[in-house]
Amino acid sequence: GKKWNTLDRFFVGPNLYDGKGAEVVLESFRVLFAPFMSRPIAGRADRSPLPFDAKTGLGYADHYPVMVKIRLN
């Protein structure tokens, strides 16, 4: 079966956690899920990403997007 894992990363330089100016909020990291970005998986309660199809122009990606907040001080 399919196994979920983390595909994307955010690389954060020291200037985003030095207490000056903009700061990354590490605990805000999450996978962004919206129902319109997915399709049902037969026989399961969860859903999988709707991959992009170059022929039809429909779909999004082979994985859900990730996000992190950046706070301005």
Side-chain angles (χ1 to χ4, degrees):
K2 289 188 175 186
K3 184 178 178 182
W4 288 95
N5 45 48
T6 302
L7 298 174
D8 291 324
R9 303 267 192 261
F10 286 101
F11 291 94
V12 178
N15 61 332
L16 283 177
Y17 59 90
D18 63 2
K20 305 173 189 171
E23 296 289 310
V24 68
V25 181
L26 294 176
E27 63 274 9
S28 71
F29 177 86
R30 68 184 179 105
V31 175
L32 180 64
F33 169 79
F36 69 86
M37 293 182 199
S38 65
R39 63 171 178 229
I41 300 174
R44 293 175 50 180
D46 56 351
R47 300 171 72 83
S48 68
L50 183 61
F52 180 74
D53 183 332
K55 291 180 185 175
T56 65
L58 300 174
Y60 298 94
D62 61 347
H63 61 284
Y64 293 115
V66 294
M67 64 181 284
V68 69
K69 293 180 182 179
I70 296 178
R71 176 178 46 237
L72 300 177
N73 295 331

